[in-house]
Amino acid sequence: MKILKWLGISIASILFLMFIIPILFPGTISQQVKIFANKHLAGELDYKKTHLTFFRHFPSLTVSVDDFILKGSRPFQQDTLLAAREVAVGINLKNLIFNREVKIDEIYVNDATANVFVNSKGEANYNVYISKPSEKPKDSTGTGASIKLDLIKLKNWNVKYNDHAANVLVNAKGLNYTGKGGLSEDIFDLETDLDIDKLDFALNRIWYAQQKTLHADLITRINTNALTFVLRKNELRINKLPLKFTGFVSILRDGYNININAASEKTTIRDMISVLPPQYLEWAKDTKIEGNSDLFFSLKGRFSEPKNLKPDLTASLKVNNGFVSNSNAPVPMNNLNMDLNVGLPSLDPEKLLLDLRTLSFDLGKNNNFRAVVKTQGLSQMNINANIKGAVDLATLDAALGLKDIELRGLMNTDIVSNGIFSMDKKLFPKTKGFFNLKNGWLKTKYYPNPIQNINILANIHNTDGTFKSLGVKLDPFKFDFEGNPVYVNADLQDFEDLLYKFRAKGTLNVGRIYKVFRKEGFDVNGLIMADLSLNGRQSYATTGQYSKLDNRGTLILKNIKATTKYLPKSFFIKEGNFEFENEKMWFRKFYATYGKSDFALNGYLLNTINYFIERKGTLHGKFHLKSNYIWLMNLWR
């Protein structure tokens, strides 16, 4: 009974203290927290209601504020950096009772939205904390609020990180974070538990992750003196794909120094597919997928916008003994193997290295594909490629269980290419090969009718690595779409001074065929009718040898309407009748509108073929322009 008596007294005393302490010390705590905030924050701080209680984050005594808003640092003083339903700080009870000092050792932030922004100059909106000058000794006797953090808890956050300097965009929704450790020490280990419901990540406007779940269990050694983060234990899971990280990140005055390695070793192809964009995940549910995979990623070097420094990126993906089969497939995709390596020194596209050491699969007897491709550079690209395969596209479509696209036809290709491609230097790799598609058929979910009777026979050859020996022959390229056949025949030789024979005939409803290949942000409608025969050499027109040209035929445009996100209005060609007559391209009828403006053209162009071939080609011509109304605001707005 005595034990129960004293237990009851103890519980009553604790409950009494929990009620009385907030009443005894409210002024001290509220005043000192505000003084601390004004002293250490560069951004404007605002909130509505304050609370001092044990019960919001039991058993901690916390100061809580509702409807918290923190503005960014210069030059982003008008933009909100952080908005939260509740921000609470935990108070060290011992220091409060015996020393009347407010020592903050815990932080809680719930239901928050954070907008982190770095502009193209490298200026960030998150530099809101004003630290004490390092040369001053620490004052251990002064009064006031201080921080000695042991716990940070973030619940239900939405975070947007937009770094224009590094071309990085991150969106995280449903973020929950717990960080433990001696966060106020100069050097400490931070234990992290992180969950994100939906994560998007883009680099250089390319989305590498969209709507992915993420779980992280990390231990990070943090050196606050050098602003360095060393990854010690770092286990992540993106959807079903496990990743392990090692390395460090150091924050510098003009950027950062980074050395991060990430690996997902000895996983399965299905785990790898789980990180693909959402539209592919439904496909994976209905498809049998087997095989092993390994993924490696590295980002190493210094980033500094003022010094034009960027880190090196390397990545590799290996797939072994893959097997893919849909329930409706006559045969599965067997022996899927891939070894892809990517390098991007200094994040410079001109130094891009793609090394596809192998890509191969089988779809039954005499139905296989093999490719080895290595490229280095961009505007001047070193190419080494060997591609060979004979594939029944209907079998491939069935084996993969493709839902958005239906394919048919027999594809056969054999291409060997080795050398340098450069438009400026007029270099082309030594190449010999062909691509052949018979009885092709293509249908997508965007349009009910297929493109059918697709037949392509393309041959390419180059014997000495220059444009002069480059030859491309397209005989034939033809297809039918909604009862309208289209036929193209081309024989192109000597790309230094192009010798061309080109024939095109057919009617194309560009609006309907565009729907087959729909692209967001662009729309087009109308008809194109062609009956063209072009025969000559590029230099005949530029040197005035017009008698050697045999260019004739017509090209007719009707009701062409183009809408793009880059222009505020649609461009409409009601009628465009073009006639080719040797060196001239005549505008027999041309009537177009843009917004409220209208244009009628009559005349001719010279040097049209050379203009489209040469990067620096120049058009010449003579026109009469008539217009009932031109609204200049339409043209420039």
Side-chain angles (χ1 to χ4, degrees), residues 270-282:
R270 182 169 286 278
D271 292 340
M272 190 73 66
I273 288 174
S274 74
V275 304
L276 291 176
Q279 59 266 33
Y280 297 102
L281 299 184
E282 287 297 320

Side-chain angles (χ1 to χ4, degrees), residues 14-84:
I14 292 172
L15 292 173
F16 174 74
L17 288 173
M18 291 172 64
F19 281 104
I20 197 66
I21 287 174
I23 296 173
L24 294 176
F25 297 97
T28 300
I29 294 174
S30 181
Q31 182 181 7
Q32 292 188 13
V33 168
K34 283 186 177 181
I35 291 172
F36 176 84
N38 292 329
K39 191 175 181 181
H40 290 274
L41 294 178
E44 180 185 344
L45 176 67
D46 191 20
Y47 53 84
K48 289 186 178 178
K49 200 172 182 181
T50 61
H51 308 271
L52 179 62
T53 178
F54 279 100
F55 298 102
R56 282 202 171 186
H57 301 281
F58 183 83
S60 299
L61 173 65
T62 57
V63 177
S64 302
V65 298
D66 296 340
D67 300 327
F68 175 95
I69 294 178
L70 176 63
K71 301 286 188 178
S73 56
R74 292 182 180 181
F76 309 101
Q77 306 96 312
Q78 303 304 317
D79 301 327
T80 299
L81 172 62
L82 176 65

Side-chain angles (χ1 to χ4, degrees), residues 17 35 46 58 107 222 248 258 284 295 336 344 350 365 401 431 439 465 534 563 596 604:
L17 288 173
I35 291 172
D46 191 20
F58 183 83
I107 291 181
I222 300 177
F248 68 85
I258 189 169
L295 175 68
L336 173 61
L344 195 60
E350 288 296 328
K365 188 177 180 180
T431 302
N439 301 318
L534 308 177
T563 304
K596 296 181 179 180
Y604 63 84

